[in-house]
Amino acid sequence: MAEESATSGATSDATSDAASDVTSGATSRGWMFLLLAIGTEVTASLSLKGALEHPALYAVVLVGYLGAFIALALVLREGMPLGVAYGVWGASGVALTAIMSLVLFGEPLTAPMIIGIVLVIAGVLCVELGSPAQPASGVGPESGVGLESGVPGGQLDGAIGTTAQDGER
């Protein structure tokens, strides 16, 4: 009986370690994608200002915003809560765009603006620190929810709104 407990405990520990690895991997990847989303969004915003004099930069604007939204979607797929992801993305984007606008375009950064940026960042930190730890996103092979459609076990069948279950493909 003690041997059963030891075996059961070892299995439980191994399962816990595997879940921890998956969650921490998802979190690390999520933060990596979030940094990418922030960088592409700030680049697009700064390029928008530059495109007023150099219209070719509108291509950078388009690619940058598209890339930012794709990266943000990947952040959410990794399991980061929307409030945290969007808050960090927005606050970082505002702060970095204001600082880089000063550096690149000589735009003013006044005391009230700095206070506002600090308050926004403080608010995002409150959301981040108050957010409960999240397991993996609940989307993907381990959850039974199809990545293609978001429908349990299903994939889009070609017609809008219809799915094919595993045995019906």
Side-chain angles (χ1 to χ4, degrees), residues 3-25:
E3 186 176 318
E4 256 180 52
S5 286
T7 305
S8 164
T11 304
S12 174
D13 289 344
T15 303
S16 173
D17 288 345
S20 169
D21 288 346
V22 169
T23 303
S24 66

Side-chain angles (χ1 to χ4, degrees), residues 4-155:
E4 256 180 52
S5 286
T7 305
S8 164
T11 304
S12 174
D13 289 344
T15 303
S16 173
D17 288 345
S20 169
D21 288 346
V22 169
T23 303
S24 66
T27 302
S28 297
R29 284 176 46 137
W31 284 104
M32 180 191 67
F33 288 135
L34 186 55
L35 289 174
L36 179 63
I38 292 165
T40 54
E41 189 266 336
V42 169
T43 300
S45 296
L46 294 169
S47 296
L48 188 57
K49 170 81 174 189
L52 296 174
E53 293 184 22
H54 306 284
L57 287 175
Y58 282 117
V60 176
V61 172
L62 181 66
V63 171
Y65 283 130
L66 182 61
F69 283 106
I70 290 170
L72 189 59
L74 292 171
V75 169
L76 298 176
R77 180 162 282 173
E78 289 297 319
M80 187 177 291
L82 177 60
V84 171
Y86 187 74
V88 170
W89 181 59
S92 299
V94 167
L96 289 172
T97 300
I99 292 166
M100 292 307 296
S101 291
L102 169 71
V103 172
L104 296 174
F105 306 116
E107 292 185 351
L109 192 57
T110 64
M113 292 171 70
I114 294 169
I115 292 169
I117 290 169
V118 169
L119 289 174
V120 168
I121 292 171
V124 169
L125 285 174
C126 288
V127 170
E128 165 68 24
L129 296 174
S131 178
Q134 295 289 318
S137 68
V139 175
E142 67 280 344
S143 69
V145 175
L147 291 174
E148 296 83 5
S149 66
V151 177
Q155 285 187 317

